[in-house]
């Protein structure tokens, strides 16, 4: 059973090995954060490691961004739900039928796993979109795909800090917005270009913040996590 945490912080376990990831996880606390397992760690450590995190009472966001034919995505979502993860995601560009199949697969398991959409990757600019046949700005496409995700009954979308205000205004209070690109005040920015502090992101409408290197590279990861949580609390 997962321990329910109120924490809005999801720590990104961007590691290539189970042992490196565990070294960090053992310094954290499931009452103080959730964890994100992405393609790198999942490919290296596999579903048993995800189950291990769940058994350690962490709520896990399995960030595998499924995108395939509806039947395949539905089956992958069902398997993810069986792992007991808290949240999974699919590409909204997979289109309505794929999103409906993903939704139905989770619902048929009577699972509480949250299903989140990915709209346009922040690595894509207008030229990239045009080259793959998508007209308009990244912002236009993000909003259109987020509306599609909402209309199919997904629980929310992943979005950049700069998209928060518009999406919150357009999609209402109940749609989850999960936001990477968050940096504590005064920290090293790294390769993130569109950043906000945790407090700003929450004020702009984020429900959950994905934070990687500010925590994973810290000498005292739990202290950084607690400082971030405090900053968020003071804003809420
Ligand atoms: O280390 P950092 O805090 O930049 O890590 C952010 C996490 O969020 C990484 O796992 C990264 O893959 C993910 N992410 C992101 N930007 C996006 C989507 C996801 O940084 N647009």
């Amino acid at each position: 059973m997962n321990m329910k945490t109120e924490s809005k912080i999801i720590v990104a376990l961007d590691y290539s090995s189970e042992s490196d990831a565990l070294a960090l996880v053992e310094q954290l606390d499931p009452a103080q954060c959730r964890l994100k397992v992405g393609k790198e760690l999942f490919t290296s450590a596999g579903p048993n490691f995800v189950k291990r995190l769940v058994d350690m009472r962490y709520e896990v966001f399995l960030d595998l961004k499924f995108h395939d034919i509806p039947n395949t995505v539905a089956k992958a979502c069902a398997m993810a739900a069986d792992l007991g993860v808290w949240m999974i995601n699919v590409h909204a560009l997979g289109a309505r039928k794929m999103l409906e199949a993903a939704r139905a697969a989770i619902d048929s398991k009577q699972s509480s796993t949250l299903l989140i959409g990915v709209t346009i990757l922040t690595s894509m600019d207008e030229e990239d979109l045009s080259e793959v046949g998508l007209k308009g700005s990244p912002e236009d496409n993000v909003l259109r795909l987020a509306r599609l995700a909402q209309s199919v009954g997904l629980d929310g979308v992943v979005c950049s800090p700069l998209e928060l205000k518009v999406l919150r205004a357009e999609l209402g209070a109940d749609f989850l917005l999960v936001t990477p690109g968050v940096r504590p005040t005064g920290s090293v920015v790294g390769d993130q270009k569109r950043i906000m502090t945790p407090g700003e992101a929450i004020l702009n409408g984020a429900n959950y913040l994905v934070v990687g290197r500010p925590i994973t590279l810290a000498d005292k990861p739990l202290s950084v996590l607690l400082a971030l949580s405090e900053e968020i609390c003071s804003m809420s």
Side-chain angles (χ1 to χ4, degrees):
M1 273 295 284
N2 283 351
M3 178 193 292
K4 291 285 166 217
T5 171
E6 293 305 312
S7 176
K8 294 176 187 299
I9 297 177
I10 305 170
V11 179
L13 294 181
D14 292 327
Y15 294 103
S16 58
S17 77
E18 178 170 339
S19 55
D20 286 349
L22 265 184
L24 188 267
V25 170
E26 280 163 357
Q27 299 179 64
L28 299 175
D29 175 351
Q32 300 294 342
C33 65
R34 297 173 162 91
L35 301 175
K36 180 170 89 71
V37 174
K39 289 186 172 96
E40 180 189 13
L41 183 58
F42 186 78
T43 303
S44 147
N48 285 336
F49 180 64
V50 174
K51 273 195 215 146
R52 184 166 175 185
L53 296 174
V54 173
D55 289 345
M56 290 168 82
R57 313 183 79 175
Y58 279 98
E59 293 198 322
V60 176
F61 172 17
L62 189 59
D63 178 20
L64 298 181
K65 300 185 180 72
F66 295 134
H67 188 175
D68 209 312
I69 59 170
N71 183 55
T72 301
V73 166
K75 289 186 169 166
C77 288
M79 289 301 102
D82 281 350
L83 289 175
V85 297
W86 165 69
M87 178 182 277
I88 62 172
N89 57 3
V90 293
H91 270 283
L93 280 169
R96 181 175 293 277
K97 289 194 201 75
M98 189 204 85
L99 298 174
E100 284 172 349
R103 178 75 277 165
I106 303 276
D107 291 348
S108 73
K109 291 268 170 191
Q110 296 181 330
S111 163
S112 60
T113 301
L114 295 166
L115 179 62
I116 297 290
V118 175
T119 59
I120 298 294
L121 297 171
T122 48
S123 52
M124 297 184 82
D125 60 20
E126 195 155 343
E127 205 181 320
D128 295 316
L129 294 180
S130 163
E131 201 170 18
V132 295
L134 293 173
K135 294 196 188 79
S137 67
E139 294 71 27
D140 297 336
N141 282 277
V142 165
L143 184 55
R144 192 186 67 254
L145 290 164
R147 282 195 174 120
L148 171 65
Q150 189 177 43
S151 76
V152 174
L154 267 61
D155 297 297
V157 289
V158 181
C159 70
S160 98
L162 300 189
E163 294 154 2
L164 282 168
K165 257 194 178 157
V166 170
L167 292 182
R168 180 56 70 217
E170 294 290 327
L171 303 171
D174 294 336
F175 199 59
L176 297 177
L177 300 177
V178 179
T179 306
V182 175
R183 288 290 176 269
T185 316
S187 73
V188 177
V189 169
D191 54 3
Q192 292 282 11
K193 295 201 174 71
R194 301 194 232 165
I195 56 159
M196 266 187 198
T197 64
E200 287 169 332
I202 295 294
L203 283 180
N204 279 281
N207 298 95
Y208 298 106
L209 310 177
V210 176
V211 184
R213 289 161 290 180
I215 291 173
T216 59
L217 298 181
D219 288 337
K220 293 183 178 164
L222 187 58
S223 305
V224 175
L225 174 61
L226 295 177
L228 285 170
S229 299
E230 217 161 276
E231 182 179 339
I232 291 169
C233 277
S234 68
M235 292 284 174
S236 312

